[in-house]
Amino acid sequence: MIALLLILFPLAAAFAAWRIRSERSARVLLILTACVHTALTLCCAVLPPSRISLYGAGQEWIGFDDAGIIFLLVTSLLFLFVSLHAVSAFSAEGGNCGLLRERFFLPCLLGFLAAMTLVIAARNFGLLWVAVEATTLVSAPLICFHRSGRSLEAMWKYLLICSVGIGFALLGTMLMAVSARAAGAGGLGMAELANASASFQTDWFKGAFILILAGYGTKTGLAPFHTWLPDAHSEAPATVSALLSGSLLNCSFLAVVRFCQIAPESVRPFCNSLLTALGVISLAAAAFFIIRQSDFKRMLAYSSVEHMGLAALLWGCGLESVAFLHLCGHSILKMALFLLAGNILTACGTRSVAEIGGLFGRIPRNAVLWICAILLICGTPPSPLFVTEYLLVQESGFLFGSLVLLLLFAVFAGMTMAGLNMCMGTPGTHDVPPERIPAAERLCRIPAAALVIALAAGAALAVLFNQGVL
């Protein structure tokens, strides 16, 4: 029943937030919900599954396996960090951009947490589809928060493209049910289908997985289905971008993983080949667009495409546990990067790399963290991503590994060039209120804490690798 409470408590908080008129009460509610969700998540991590799951009609509807617990911990931790940052950023955002001042923002943000939790907890493929669609509906208004023409376009692109993807996922789920009929499975429960997977009709399942990968892969941001992602991530507020990249993409990737886990043994090489193909396409697309990118938030969005592609490559190469580790490291680092990007935007008033310069002199704390985070997201030791990317190259063989290394180097070159151009050179001439600069400097605490966690995780992974555990 704790799993159900993890979903219902944020929903109740969202309804309460809709009725609240006090900004102070809204901030307290946001932090309280994040803390309670984190506490319940820790309970789920230590309690036996029988005390967590929700059963009905003879099957498990809501519960957590090992992968679910990992992603739940990451999602809850990221939401707590983002909530603390949002409250600190409230006064710095100013004017009509105050994150907690708008009545719709907080209910949608809390509903987003509930929907992502439901995606992770769903143990029925029908419920999983509903949960993924719910994440689209509740997160779309967050993208359009600034009410500009570009943010409105990004929101509609997000809604339309992801809704088409969700339609493909629904058709794939139906074909998977047809495949399971030969095995006598009468429902869409994951445990029941996993037990009967050996008797699936393999041709129907292959067709189902193609549609599933196109459908949920759209929400995951895998190229060539990623076209909504750069606009949505760049136009949304920094806190929302951090959740979209750090949590939502993980949830969508988990939806693909659920189908891989029930695939018959004879079909798994086919599924892994498709994941590998989309992983290479995603990595290549990200490298191409990052090198020529002039908007630093869009650059981070294409970095997310890159890392979801790397996760697909890791899974396709049979390194499933390493793929989970890679996604966890990416989530922490990308959250820090998007929050720092929001600080830079607050201090400089522009997203253009060419128009920003002299960050070391203007906002030195954020500038140092920005460079460090870029190096870590590119896999520079002691980043946790260095170990996972090294294992991928090692497993890929000489030719394929060389291709992956070349694309990774292209991404590294593009991101570090942009980061150094922003931190050095002549400061921009944008008219920004003077109080914004010290306010942006005060907002570096949460990104700094995230980078410390990432460095500790990278050191731990390096030790485990040296000991032969990985």
Side-chain angles (χ1 to χ4, degrees):
M1 295 300 292
I2 295 180
L4 185 61
L5 189 59
L6 274 166
I7 300 164
L8 294 181
F9 186 80
L11 282 179
F15 178 77
W18 181 259
R19 308 295 301 175
I20 285 178
R21 296 292 185 271
S22 167
E23 289 182 355
R24 181 181 178 85
S25 299
R27 300 180 200 185
V28 171
L29 178 63
L30 179 62
I31 298 301
L32 176 63
T33 304
C35 291
V36 171
H37 193 275
T38 302
L40 292 174
T41 297
L42 294 175
C43 291
C44 290
V46 299
L47 290 176
S50 60
R51 298 189 59 185
I52 301 172
S53 303
L54 176 67
Y55 293 86
Q59 64 173 300
E60 183 183 21
W61 286 87
I62 295 176
F64 298 102
D65 57 359
D66 292 340
I69 289 293
I70 292 172
F71 283 126
L72 182 66
L73 286 168
V74 172
T75 299
S76 188
L77 179 63
L78 259 62
F79 191 85
L80 178 60
F81 278 8
V82 167
S83 300
L84 293 170
H85 184 88
V87 170
S88 301
F90 181 50
S91 58
E93 291 285 340
N96 60 2
C97 293
L99 289 182
L100 303 181
R101 190 170 296 157
E102 296 292 338
R103 189 178 177 187
F104 75 87
F105 183 86
L106 190 56
C108 288
L109 193 64
L110 293 169
F112 191 31
L113 174 63
M116 289 190 294
T117 305
L118 182 58
V119 171
I120 297 170
R123 303 299 298 164
N124 179 282
F125 284 106
L127 182 61
L128 175 66
W129 182 87
V130 171
V132 174
E133 175 67 2
T135 61
T136 304
L137 298 177
V138 297
S139 59
L142 301 175
I143 296 172
C144 193
F145 176 76
H146 292 300
R147 301 178 182 176
S148 65
R150 295 185 65 175
S151 64
L152 182 63
E153 178 186 353
M155 182 195 73
W156 280 112
K157 184 180 290 187
Y158 172 66
L159 276 173
L160 292 174
I161 295 176
C162 289
S163 295
V164 171
I166 290 297
F168 280 118
L170 178 60
L171 182 57
T173 303
M174 293 177 178
L175 290 182
M176 185 271 296
V178 172
S179 172
R181 288 182 60 185
L188 294 175
M190 294 180 185
E192 178 186 4
L193 291 172
N195 292 332
S197 64
S199 302
F200 282 0
Q201 292 181 345
T202 56
D203 291 338
W204 282 105
F205 192 90
K206 288 180 179 179
F209 188 78
I210 292 173
L211 292 171
I212 288 296
L213 191 55
Y216 289 134
T218 300
K219 199 68 178 288
T220 305
L222 293 173
F225 315 113
H226 68 290
T227 50
W228 64 271
L229 191 145
D231 292 319
H233 284 55
S234 62
E235 294 299 327
T239 48
V240 176
S241 299
L243 288 176
L244 288 174
S245 184
S247 297
L248 179 62
L249 299 186
N250 288 354
C251 294
S252 305
F253 186 81
L254 182 62
V256 177
V257 166
R258 296 301 190 199
F259 283 85
C260 292
Q261 290 174 334
I262 67 163
E265 288 294 334
S266 59
V267 179
R268 291 191 178 182
F270 172 80
C271 298
N272 290 342
S273 297
L274 288 181
L275 281 169
T276 300
L278 287 188
V280 172
I281 295 172
S282 300
L283 190 55
F288 176 78
F289 283 104
I290 283 176
I291 287 176
R292 57 194 299 270
Q293 193 54 242
S294 60
D295 183 325
F296 61 84
K297 284 196 74 178
R298 290 179 70 89
M299 176 185 72
L300 297 182
Y302 281 112
S303 172
S304 296
V305 175
E306 172 212 0
H307 286 283
M308 299 314 295
L310 287 171
L313 282 174
L314 286 165
W315 190 276
C317 291
L319 301 172
E320 290 89 351
S321 59
V322 180
F324 291 141
L325 291 175
H326 186 88
L327 289 174
C328 292
H330 167 257
S331 295
I332 295 293
L333 290 170
K334 192 53 64 65
M335 177 197 68
L337 277 165
F338 270 116
L339 295 184
L340 289 169
N343 296 349
I344 294 171
L345 183 58
T346 297
C348 300
T350 178
R351 298 200 308 259
S352 174
V353 173
E355 297 178 14
I356 296 177
L359 291 183
F360 281 138
R362 182 183 298 186
I363 45 174
R365 296 176 187 173
N366 282 283
V368 171
L369 293 174
W370 178 251
I371 289 295
C372 291
I374 285 178
L375 291 175
L376 291 175
I377 201 69
C378 291
T380 306
S383 170
L385 304 184
F386 171 77
V387 176
T388 59
E389 291 172 3
Y390 176 83
L391 291 171
L392 172 62
V393 173
Q394 185 183 53
E395 185 70 21
S396 299
F398 178 74
L399 292 178
F400 190 67
S402 299
L403 173 63
V404 172
L405 274 177
L406 177 63
L407 294 174
L408 288 175
F409 178 77
V411 171
F412 170 81
M415 293 191 71
T416 52
M417 181 180 65
L420 291 174
N421 286 339
M422 292 169 64
C423 291
M424 298 186 293
T426 305
T429 58
H430 285 268
D431 186 17
V432 179
E435 64 273 10
R436 290 286 187 92
I437 293 178
E441 281 290 80
R442 290 193 297 269
L443 293 174
C444 68
R445 298 186 184 92
I446 297 300
L451 292 184
V452 170
I453 293 174
L455 289 171
L461 284 180
V463 171
L464 293 175
F465 178 76
N466 288 333
Q467 294 177 349
V469 177
L470 294 178

